Amino acid sequence: MGRALRADAERSVRAILEAAERVLTQDAGASMEQIAEAAGLTRITVHRRFANRQALLEALAVSAKQQLIDAIEEARPDAAPALVALYRVTANVLRVKSTWRFTLSHATAHTEAAAALWSEINAHTHELLTRAQREGLLAPDADLEWTRQVYYALLSEALNRPGADQDPGAQDPDTLATLVIDTLLHGAGPHD
């Protein structure tokens, strides 16, 4: 019985987080009641899982960041040359970012858990960029901290391209990954 209850509780939490993402994307000021309704649950159930809106936002941040880490690890970046790994990681991250747009684009107070996950994401990114530099994809004197910041900005901008909402193909993670990596490695200048 305990195991079935735990699975039910996990499903409720997942339903709440997914509903919160959808509802908050449409209305950042949505109430807990609106989120409960979208999740198909009672307000009491949502409040049982999350004491208040801040707790829900913090849980969203942790969940989304964990999904980013899972996406990076699923790309198996150490099992391929840096260029292939960079494309795989980028496409996987864009898939997650497109699903969790609200959560990943709104700053929330970092809990200890969210901060630890963000540090892990930064470490994965730094390792990948260091490999890219060793393999000659990035200049030997490239500032990797600046490169990481530019890479993160390109990821965000790729999902927010003007007119992309009229062309669903423009949101394809593989197409966007190509755009991000080509821009990161070559800028807007001509390719050699």
Side-chain angles (χ1 to χ4, degrees), residues 86-96 151 173-174 177:
L86 200 50
Y87 275 101
R88 285 183 192 164
V89 166
T90 301
N92 283 2
V93 165
L94 286 166
R95 282 181 185 88
V96 172
Y151 175 63
D174 294 315

Side-chain angles (χ1 to χ4, degrees), residues 3-187:
R3 197 175 283 244
L5 183 59
R6 180 168 171 79
D8 186 51
E10 288 175 12
R11 276 192 300 276
S12 291
V13 168
R14 188 172 42 249
I16 294 164
L17 294 176
E18 290 170 358
E21 177 65 29
R22 285 191 315 273
V23 170
L24 293 170
T25 296
Q26 299 299 315
D27 176 9
S31 68
M32 294 285 275
E33 290 77 16
Q34 290 170 300
I35 293 167
E37 183 179 321
L41 299 168
T42 66
R43 183 179 56 84
I44 293 168
T45 300
V46 172
H47 281 287
R48 193 177 310 136
R49 304 286 180 240
F50 303 101
N52 54 43
R53 183 183 171 85
Q54 186 60 34
L56 175 60
L57 292 174
E58 290 170 0
L60 277 168
V62 167
S63 178
K65 286 178 175 101
Q66 183 59 58
Q67 288 183 46
L68 284 173
I69 290 169
D70 294 346
I72 292 166
E73 291 173 351
E74 182 182 295
R76 299 180 47 226
D78 296 333
L83 183 59
V84 173
L86 200 50
Y87 275 101
R88 285 183 192 164
V89 166
T90 301
N92 283 2
V93 165
L94 286 166
R95 282 181 185 88
V96 172
K97 286 180 75 67
S98 69
T99 302
W100 297 94
R101 284 177 189 255
F102 172 82
T103 301
L104 293 172
S105 65
H106 286 77
T108 57
H110 277 305
T111 62
E112 194 173 310
L117 292 170
W118 188 246
S119 291
E120 189 174 341
I121 291 166
N122 283 335
H124 280 300
T125 305
H126 182 76
E127 288 171 25
L128 186 52
L129 293 174
T130 299
R131 280 189 50 223
Q133 191 173 47
R134 269 197 319 267
E135 293 180 24
L137 296 173
L138 298 171
D141 61 344
D143 179 338
L144 293 185
E145 181 60 26
W146 173 248
T147 303
R148 182 185 60 79
Q149 288 179 281
V150 169
Y151 175 63
Y152 287 173
L154 288 170
L155 287 168
S156 293
E157 290 301 318
L159 292 172
N160 298 311
R161 293 177 64 196
D165 51 343
Q166 284 99 22
D167 179 12
Q171 291 297 318
D172 174 64
D174 294 315
T175 301
L176 291 176
T178 299
L179 179 64
V180 168
I181 300 307
D182 284 351
T183 305
L184 180 70
L185 298 180
H186 307 292

